[in-house]
Amino acid sequence: MLIIEDLKVRLGDKEILRHIDLEIKQGETHILFGPNGSGKTSLLMTIMGYPQYKVTAGKIYFKGQDITHMSINERAKLGIGMSYQRPPSIHGLKTRQMIEICSNNGADVNELAEQVNFLEFLDRDINVGFSGGEIKRSELLQLIAQDPDLLLFDEPESGVDLENIALIGNAINHLLERDIHSTTNKSKKQLLRERAKMGLIITHTGFILDYVSADRGQVLYDGVLACRRYPVEIFKQIKDVGYEECVRCAS
Amino acid sequence: MRILNEKASKAKEKKASLGPDINLEEYSSEHTPHGIVDKLEMLSDADKERMILAGIDANEEGRSGTYVQKDTTAIFSQSKQEGLEVIPIKEALKKFDWVQDYYWKLVSVDTDKYTARAQLDLHDGYVIRALPGSTVIYPVQACLYLEKEGLSQNVHNIIIADEGSELHIITGCATAAHLRSGLHVGISEFFVKKNAKLSFTMIHHWAEEMMVRPRSVGIVEEGGLFLNNYICMRPVKSLQMYPTTYLAGKGAVARFYSLLVGSPNSEIDVGGRMYLQEEDTRAEIVSRAITNGGNIIARGDLIGEVPGIRGHLECRGLILNGGTIHAIPELQGKIDGVELSHEAAVGKIAQDEILYLMSRGLTEDEATSTIVRGFLSVDIPGLPPVLKAEIDRAVDLSQHDVM
Ligand SMILES: Nc1ncnc2c1ncn2[C@@H]1O[C@H](COP(=O)(O)OP(=O)(O)O)[C@@H](O)[C@H]1O
Ligand SMILES: [Mg+2]
């Protein structure tokens, strides 16, 4: 379980998040909406532990531990993983090696890559010259290899071409253990109970909602979380009346 | 020979245009006799160990020929394949007239006091030649080894890939473990004939007080390919070289890759210069420099003289822990229709790359060394896997010191 309590975050000399309360229970996936610049990426980076995002008040708990001041790699070890909106490229580091790092050398890289149609990129330097959509597939592949318990997705579908969008959507759904109907040997109820993976997904386009069944949606507006409802509902509101109106209705 | 000697004599005091000047009198050129060995296995274990660091395998496994010079003496020289010649240059100059067609034909003997010394006081060196049409399957290895303190080792090498041949060479320069100071002067002339392919991988493994002045020039004829790789990741006092290549035939291709590490007190000045003189020629110069407190100058110069040529220069530097890197990329287009480009970057390891890797589970130190390792791994198209492996090994060996 992830619990965020009254969190305040500063980036440089700017307060970018205020009074954030968020709880993601075991097995739950939440969707995060919000206009550009509202602080969505900042929230995910803070949960992941990027040091430039300074927590000035509040706490973050994960799996019962206070992780507010834990280093990034300790959080990764504890089971938090992130798919980035704009990851850096690293010259000379092959995508294959990156996947090995993610899986702690425990995976069949080719087999994983095949799942997201990424075989032909394995021998290229990670993210170097990748298109927007290729970056998203590479990030997803890294998370598949890493297999964390809390998955943070920063706009996982933006820039992905139509051909691959279903592939990505379904892969995310699978990674979050939400494709329960596809398994047959256990009852649906039992699977739901056993579901451990947690997700927090930022979406701009809402496409991802066609593939991933999420439990909750939230709107981040001007550094504050508002409007806790079903994601599809929220998305419809935003489309119909815009963010400002949507947030006003909630408050 | 007389004319060469005269020209050299006039250049005896001539300072090089680049690099700190060296007082040659501080180094003895006196011949140091070493016994010739019939088999490389006869070398002492200590020597073998040092040579392995520079990519030279005393068991000769997977090698088609070997040349070993210790101080001033060629102690072993052998070709194991038909169509391949490996001969000490002094012997070759005596026995074969054709050597004169190549000797000092690309490098001018009066370039500076170092070239002059290599003529006036030649110790030895190698002639390696792949005869027309022959494919030398395994690499040839050559080692120039220094054991005597304070010696000036003066060598001259000639490398010929005859028409349609394929030749791969790995050459290591190494010093005995106890050696601290010395001077290495090395003349190398490369001839890549029509449709021939030559790869030349040089791994330098010097000592802290060594002065090093290689002087090399290559020519690539029509359809030829010349891959030149240079790795120097160990401490050296002063190293200055600026190998030049002439792409003198249609469709000729040359690539020069260098990996440099500057340790504290090292002065490294390495560049590559290529003249693109015929249609459809291609040139690429790639350098990676890391400094830990040393000073590195990374030069590159591409000169496009005819239309329809293409050249690219890439120069990246990483300052890890003090020191300086000065990247000097130059492009000279002399006519319409040339395509020359360069990219250069000097900086420290990007923090966002470290954090990215940490978020995949690596510690900060692991992340840093992963990035450094990546920085030093360049893809060299056309290089045989065994030589790629030797380069990787050299990088791995030095990685520990770099960090
Ligand atoms: N490196 C930075 N330095 C200063 N301000 C930044 C930096 N990165 C983001 N910001 C600002 O922080 C705010 C939140 O950004 P971000 O979390 O990326 O929003 P979102 O992901 O919702 O678009 C924005 O106003 C943005 O301009
Ligand atoms: Mg964002």
Side-chain angles (χ1 to χ4, degrees):
Chain A
M1 190 153 77
L2 175 80
I3 300 170
I4 297 180
E5 283 177 2
D6 200 16
L7 194 73
K8 246 196 222 176
V9 175
R10 179 177 279 284
L11 177 64
D13 45 14
K14 189 175 167 197
E15 189 152 274
I16 41 168
L17 296 172
R18 285 172 290 143
H19 304 300
I20 301 288
D21 288 297
L22 179 70
E23 191 174 315
I24 302 179
K25 294 203 175 72
Q26 184 160 328
E28 280 185 0
T29 286
H30 292 212
I31 306 283
L32 191 59
F33 299 97
N36 280 329
S38 59
K40 303 182 297 298
T41 295
S42 303
L43 178 57
L44 262 54
M45 298 292 263
T46 306
I47 298 171
M48 191 69 241
Y50 275 72
Q52 59 268 45
Y53 296 87
K54 294 234 164 17
V55 176
T56 52
K59 293 275 180 206
I60 308 173
Y61 299 94
F62 181 61
K63 292 185 178 170
Q65 290 192 48
D66 181 350
I67 62 163
T68 318
H69 299 290
M70 217 180 234
S71 69
I72 297 193
N73 53 313
E74 283 172 323
R75 295 186 205 207
K77 287 256 147 65
L78 203 59
I80 303 179
M82 176 158 173
S83 157
Y84 295 89
Q85 189 177 6
R86 283 185 215 92
S89 32
I90 303 178
H91 283 274
L93 180 66
K94 301 286 172 228
T95 302
R96 177 185 299 284
Q97 294 170 281
M98 186 62 163
I99 305 308
E100 281 162 2
I101 288 172
C102 291
S103 73
N104 214 345
N105 298 313
D108 178 337
V109 176
N110 287 359
E111 191 188 306
L112 297 186
E114 219 155 344
Q115 291 177 26
V116 287
N117 200 6
F118 217 62
L119 265 180
E120 58 182 304
F121 294 87
L122 287 179
D123 294 314
R124 277 176 56 177
D125 290 358
I126 187 79
N127 299 335
V128 175
F130 285 9
S131 73
E134 286 158 6
I135 281 184
K136 300 300 148 125
R137 276 189 284 152
S138 150
E139 287 294 300
L140 180 57
L141 175 56
Q142 291 173 50
L143 278 194
I144 292 174
Q146 203 176 344
D147 196 24
D149 299 320
L150 169 63
L151 296 96
L152 310 167
F153 288 97
D154 198 345
E155 301 195 20
E157 84 280 46
S158 59
V160 176
D161 50 31
L162 285 173
E163 198 182 331
N164 284 303
I165 193 108
L167 188 91
I168 281 214
N170 290 327
I172 293 176
N173 207 37
H174 179 68
L175 205 48
L176 291 168
E177 300 175 337
R178 306 196 71 85
D179 53 348
I180 42 173
H181 35 270
S182 66
T183 356
T184 47
N185 51 351
K186 284 185 184 174
S187 80
K188 207 166 169 175
K189 253 198 176 133
Q190 195 182 353
L191 283 165
L192 268 172
R193 239 192 343 263
E194 286 173 8
R195 181 158 73 201
K197 301 288 182 189
M198 293 160 265
L200 182 57
I201 307 176
I202 298 175
T203 181
H204 216 65
T205 63
F207 287 154
I208 203 75
L209 302 178
D210 297 343
Y211 302 93
V212 179
S213 65
D215 303 290
R216 293 237 159 264
Q218 330 237 355
V219 178
L220 188 59
Y221 193 81
D222 201 14
V224 181
L225 271 179
C227 192
R228 206 152 300 182
R229 265 184 291 162
Y230 285 112
V232 182
E233 237 174 280
I234 297 182
F235 188 60
K236 190 171 179 312
Q237 282 274 330
I238 297 166
K239 268 204 300 202
D240 292 349
V241 298
Y243 276 113
E244 204 174 337
E245 198 59 31
C246 173
V247 172
R248 187 172 315 155
C249 126
S251 57
Chain B
M1 211 48 120
R2 210 195 68 232
I3 299 172
L4 282 170
N5 281 338
E6 274 171 17
K7 277 175 97 174
S9 294
K10 281 186 197 146
K12 261 169 88 171
E13 309 286 325
K14 188 173 167 189
K15 288 185 182 169
S17 55
L18 299 172
D21 188 46
I22 298 170
N23 180 3
L24 294 179
E25 317 224 309
E26 286 174 17
Y27 301 90
S28 140
S29 265
E30 200 179 309
H31 285 251
T32 50
H34 288 289
I36 287 176
V37 295
D38 299 325
K39 282 200 166 120
L40 269 190
E41 293 157 24
M42 291 162 67
L43 294 171
S44 75
D45 286 345
D47 287 354
K48 281 187 211 164
E49 223 168 85
R50 298 293 292 181
M51 290 182 189
I52 280 177
L53 295 174
I56 304 305
D57 186 351
N59 296 323
E60 296 179 78
E61 238 161 77
R63 303 286 193 254
S64 58
T66 298
Y67 173 87
V68 177
Q69 176 172 337
K70 197 166 175 179
D71 293 329
T72 65
T73 314
I75 58 167
F76 185 80
S77 176
Q78 178 190 298
S79 161
K80 296 203 294 185
Q81 196 194 313
E82 215 164 304
L84 169 71
E85 301 191 0
V86 180
I87 323 159
I89 197 165
K90 279 197 151 168
E91 181 187 330
L93 283 166
K94 267 187 227 138
K95 282 194 188 159
F96 306 107
D97 290 339
W98 56 261
V99 181
Q100 295 299 341
D101 299 338
Y102 301 95
Y103 188 64
W104 291 116
K105 286 296 181 280
L106 296 176
V107 178
S108 307
V109 69
D110 57 358
T111 304
D112 53 33
K113 58 163 107 170
Y114 311 108
T115 54
R117 175 169 273 214
Q119 167 62 22
L120 298 173
D121 216 342
L122 178 66
H123 291 145
D124 220 322
Y126 52 80
V127 175
I128 298 176
R129 177 174 197 172
L131 295 174
S134 57
T135 295
V136 178
I137 302 157
Y138 297 112
V140 181
Q141 58 181 1
C143 180
L144 300 165
Y145 189 68
L146 264 165
E147 188 183 64
K148 191 176 172 238
E149 190 70 27
L151 179 76
S152 159
Q153 182 185 52
N154 315 322
V155 303
H156 194 138
N157 309 312
I158 290 174
I159 298 96
I160 305 161
D162 265 317
E163 186 167 335
S165 69
E166 179 170 343
L167 174 61
H168 302 279
I169 299 174
I170 177 160
T171 161
C173 292
T175 54
H178 60 78
L179 187 123
R180 286 187 51 75
S181 77
L183 166 66
H184 171 86
V185 173
I187 313 301
S188 298
E189 299 182 280
F190 299 92
F191 300 84
V192 182
K193 306 269 180 87
K194 194 171 165 187
N195 298 326
K197 178 176 173 183
L198 170 65
S199 86
F200 185 80
T201 300
M202 180 147 77
I203 299 176
H204 273 177
H205 205 278
W206 300 111
E208 268 165 49
E209 295 295 319
M210 275 295 296
M211 312 294 278
V212 184
R213 291 293 180 270
R215 296 289 177 259
S216 39
V217 179
I219 186 164
V220 189
E221 294 178 9
E222 184 179 336
L225 169 67
F226 180 26
L227 289 180
N228 191 352
N229 309 309
Y230 179 64
I231 292 99
C232 181
M233 309 183 64
R234 307 294 303 196
V236 58
K237 175 133 189 232
S238 168
L239 158 68
Q240 186 274 316
M241 64 181 218
Y242 208 156
T244 299
T245 305
Y246 295 93
L247 295 172
K250 196 170 173 213
V253 177
R255 306 178 200 280
F256 178 55
Y257 295 85
S258 58
L259 306 179
L260 309 169
V261 172
S263 312
N265 304 317
S266 290
E267 298 280 339
I268 296 177
D269 184 339
V270 170
R273 176 178 283 136
M274 294 187 185
Y275 290 87
L276 296 97
Q277 304 179 306
E278 287 292 332
E279 219 183 314
D280 290 331
T281 52
R282 301 277 177 270
E284 186 182 31
I285 297 175
V286 175
S287 84
R288 295 278 186 277
I290 293 184
T291 178
N292 264 328
N295 297 317
I296 300 179
I297 302 176
R299 299 175 196 272
D301 192 5
L302 294 173
I303 303 111
E305 301 184 338
V306 296
I309 58 95
R310 226 169 44 220
H312 184 68
L313 218 163
E314 181 187 307
C315 191
R316 289 177 195 277
L318 205 54
I319 301 177
L320 271 193
N321 192 11
T324 63
I325 295 177
H326 186 176
I328 312 178
E330 290 183 71
L331 305 177
Q332 307 181 45
K334 304 213 159 171
I335 195 163
D336 274 11
V338 300
E339 239 180 276
L340 298 172
S341 58
H342 81 71
E343 51 184 301
V346 174
K348 58 177 176 129
I349 293 187
Q351 191 64 15
D352 61 340
E353 294 176 24
I354 293 178
L355 296 172
Y356 186 42
L357 287 171
M358 286 174 73
S359 78
R360 301 300 185 219
L362 298 187
T363 64
E364 187 169 357
D365 285 349
E366 288 166 345
T368 306
S369 73
T370 300
I371 292 165
V372 170
R373 190 66 189 75
F375 180 83
L376 290 172
S377 78
V378 281
D379 294 323
I380 304 175
L383 189 71
V386 38
L387 293 180
K388 168 76 177 137
E390 285 295 350
I391 293 177
D392 288 344
R393 206 167 59 87
V395 172
D396 289 339
L397 277 173
S398 64
Q399 170 104 19
H400 184 74
D401 302 343
V402 172
M403 297 307 302

